[in-house]
Amino acid sequence: MRTKPRKWINDEIERLDPYVDYERIVALGTSYYVNDFLMDYIYAFTFPNFIAPAHGAEVVLREGKGKIYSAPNKRMDDTSRHMLIWWENGPSHPATQRSVESINRLHEHWAKQYPGNFDHNDDYIYTLCYEAAFMHRLRLRLGLPGYPENVQIASVRFWARMALLFRNAGTGDALSGFPEDFAGVMAFMDEYEARDWGDNSHGPAVIERMVTPFADRHFPRPLRGVARALVLGMYPDHIFRAHNVPRPSRFTRWFAQSFMKVGLTMSERYLPDPEVTLAEKHRQARANRVQQRVQSGELPAAVREAEDVAATS
């Protein structure tokens, strides 16, 4: 039985102060609406944005030895897990701070293996700006309204504070230059994406490693061409230029964008708003597995599972 009104999220966002309640506003606009399919889909068509320069693609692919090859589903799940922690809790929460620090340490490890590749401050700032404005830009591209002013304000405040948690893995410096307002976020991304990154021989491999895990996980073999179209059709123009891969047909782009537009419209206008976050659904599922293992006598496995639950709570 529902305990909240059928459509409650926007009403709550409207009553909150974006200068004070920015963490809650971001959580409401992200954590509740997503599901596992959508998280994997978003990963597939957004991640190439973050490694458009060859120095970024190189450290992810690692000559065919990166996790994107050896454990692609875990690579996809790890990214989603971090995002869900950040969205649900915000930059002030210890869970978010632990999550970011684990990424800082991981980047610092690989920075030693690839000297200079992690030194570029603008790469970090672009990624944070992208997270701040991703859905706004996507909505405009699909012909839907973008973020209202209160959500724009909340998003900038949220991701500006997230930027304080990260550090440059190559130099050890704090990040600098996160824009002061939403217009600045948009301008920074436009300028970054317009840069000439030169030849990126890694591009085709990057795209393939994004499409394949999503298709393999969610589509039977005869429909994996559909999965490929859904991903390729969502890439913006600069991705094809930066990664040196051919643009898909107009029909493919129309198909993918129509799929996304229908999904967003159904969620926002017609389907009831979820009452719990996706992260909470994951915790509930893990807790149920722990209980089942305890009841079946699999105590060591149950203890490990319980520790996992605690680590992400």
Side-chain angles (χ1 to χ4, degrees):
M1 180 178 295
R2 292 189 64 84
T3 60
K4 294 180 182 293
R6 190 170 181 277
K7 303 298 288 184
W8 64 276
I9 290 178
N10 278 339
D11 289 343
E12 183 163 346
I13 288 175
E14 283 298 316
R15 71 175 181 80
L16 295 172
D17 182 343
Y19 293 98
V20 177
D21 305 313
Y22 54 89
E23 290 181 320
R24 180 59 178 163
I25 289 173
V26 169
L28 287 166
T30 55
S31 298
Y32 289 86
Y33 284 120
V34 293
N35 55 35
D36 290 319
F37 174 89
L38 185 57
M39 290 299 294
D40 292 347
Y41 185 35
I42 290 172
Y43 168 85
F45 72 77
T46 62
F47 199 82
N49 289 272
F50 310 140
I51 51 175
H55 62 258
E58 180 182 17
V59 298
V60 170
L61 297 173
R62 298 202 287 277
E63 299 178 334
K65 299 176 183 178
K67 189 187 292 186
I68 205 169
Y69 284 96
S70 62
N73 285 348
K74 189 175 189 310
R75 180 67 174 82
M76 188 160 53
D77 291 342
D78 286 347
T79 299
S80 296
R81 176 173 54 83
H82 285 298
M83 295 306 303
L84 291 175
I85 291 171
W86 304 349
W87 289 344
E88 184 182 44
N89 297 292
S92 68
H93 197 282
T96 298
Q97 294 165 12
R98 288 193 299 269
S99 168
V100 174
E101 182 56 27
S102 72
I103 293 175
N104 283 333
R105 292 197 300 269
L106 183 65
H107 285 171
E108 287 165 352
H109 167 78
W110 288 111
K112 296 175 183 177
Q113 316 302 316
Y114 292 88
N117 290 52
F118 286 88
D119 292 7
H120 308 272
N121 181 79
D122 281 3
D123 292 352
Y124 300 89
I125 298 301
Y126 171 75
T127 302
L128 293 160
C129 285
Y130 188 98
E131 297 298 343
F134 160 62
M135 281 303 299
H136 174 80
R137 295 173 102 202
L138 177 62
R139 294 176 65 85
L140 293 178
R141 187 176 165 204
L142 298 177
L144 298 171
Y147 285 167
E149 184 178 7
N150 61 331
V151 177
Q152 293 183 20
I153 294 169
S155 188
V156 171
R157 292 181 70 81
F158 183 102
W159 289 101
R161 283 151 182 77
M162 287 294 296
L164 299 176
L165 303 180
F166 287 90
R167 57 182 175 270
N168 187 308
T171 67
D173 296 333
L175 303 187
S176 61
F178 189 87
E180 296 182 357
D181 55 27
F182 202 77
V185 165
M186 297 288 283
F188 186 97
M189 287 190 293
D190 288 344
E191 187 276 327
Y192 184 94
E193 292 168 355
R195 295 180 190 178
D196 181 1
W197 295 110
D199 292 335
N200 184 357
S201 61
H202 305 291
V206 166
I207 302 303
E208 191 61 32
R209 299 318 303 167
M210 295 297 104
V211 175
T212 300
F214 168 71
D216 289 352
R217 172 176 278 183
H218 294 287
F219 291 79
R221 188 175 299 276
L223 295 179
R224 286 176 187 166
V226 174
R228 188 175 187 85
L230 287 175
V231 176
L232 293 177
M234 289 302 299
Y235 290 143
D237 285 344
H238 76 272
I239 288 298
F240 302 107
R241 172 177 50 82
H243 288 285
N244 193 28
V245 293
R247 287 174 172 78
S249 68
R250 290 184 180 180
F251 174 79
T252 297
R253 295 196 298 271
W254 170 86
F255 172 68
Q257 292 172 26
S258 296
F259 175 84
M260 177 61 78
K261 185 174 183 178
V262 169
L264 288 175
T265 301
M266 289 293 295
S267 176
E268 294 174 359
R269 293 188 183 180
Y270 303 110
L271 299 177
D273 289 345
E275 295 191 44
V276 297
T277 66
L278 178 59
E280 178 59 27
K281 292 176 183 176
H282 287 174
R283 287 192 293 271
Q284 291 173 0
R286 290 197 296 270
N288 289 339
R289 289 197 297 271
V290 170
Q291 184 63 29
Q292 291 170 0
R293 288 176 173 179
V294 169
Q295 292 173 350
S296 66
E298 299 179 42
L299 189 58
V303 170
R304 289 194 297 271
E305 190 84 28
E307 291 173 347
D308 288 344
V309 172
T312 56
S313 299

